[in-house]
Amino acid sequence: MENPTAIEYRLSVPNPRSHYFHLEVSFPTPEPGIFVVALPVWTPGSYLVREYARHLIHLQALADDQEVAVISRDKASWEVHVPPNIHRLTLSYDVYAYELTVRTSFLDQDYGLAQGTALFLYHPTWQDRPVTLELALPDGWSSASG
């Protein structure tokens, strides 16, 4: 049985040669008003500020099936304006991934390395919620995790 409070992530690779991962994140029953989402600015074990958000493009939000405004707050966070009585807030976006290091993501026609810190938007007060991750990979690709 699915957890109704889980945040659901979906990572897909529609065109590996473009070096862009496509991501969707779905937040269940958000409160109406301003809902903040962010990317971290650091990675555990790497003690420098990282600019992961600079690789994020095409950020869009749907409250149930209605498009809602997304406004940049600062270099690593955004405000989503959630109307009342919404069951699910879904954000979709693309992340450029063509830097092969232990702290970044990489994607080309042969394989991808998905560094979660650089890819997954989160809501700051929901960090203790359960999450699910669906991978939609090209034919012939497999996944592995540490």
Side-chain angles (χ1 to χ4, degrees), residues 4-23:
T5 65
I7 299 165
E8 299 172 353
Y9 290 93
R10 183 176 193 273
L11 180 143
S12 61
V13 183
N15 180 8
R17 290 179 188 274
S18 74
H19 310 297
Y20 280 95
F21 285 107
H22 180 72
L23 291 109

Side-chain angles (χ1 to χ4, degrees), residues 23 55 58 67 77 97 99 102-103 108 118 124-125 135 137 140 142-143 145:
L23 291 109
H55 296 300
H58 303 140
E67 191 167 348
S77 67
E99 182 182 350
V102 296
R103 64 189 169 277
D108 71 8
T125 62
L135 300 175
L137 303 176
S142 59
S143 64
S145 176

Side-chain angles (χ1 to χ4, degrees), residues 54-109:
R54 71 189 160 123
H55 296 300
L56 188 148
I57 62 170
H58 303 140
L59 179 58
Q60 297 178 336
L62 294 175
D64 289 340
D65 292 322
Q66 175 186 356
E67 191 167 348
V68 292
V70 180
I71 298 169
S72 178
R73 285 179 74 191
D74 55 40
K75 67 180 183 176
S77 67
W78 297 262
E79 293 179 354
V80 182
H81 296 270
V82 179
N85 303 316
I86 295 302
H87 297 95
R88 185 159 297 281
L89 176 65
T90 302
L91 286 83
S92 65
Y93 56 98
D94 298 317
V95 175
Y96 184 71
Y98 199 59
E99 182 182 350
L100 190 55
T101 72
V102 296
R103 64 189 169 277
T104 58
S105 296
F106 180 85
L107 179 64
D108 71 8
Q109 67 276 4

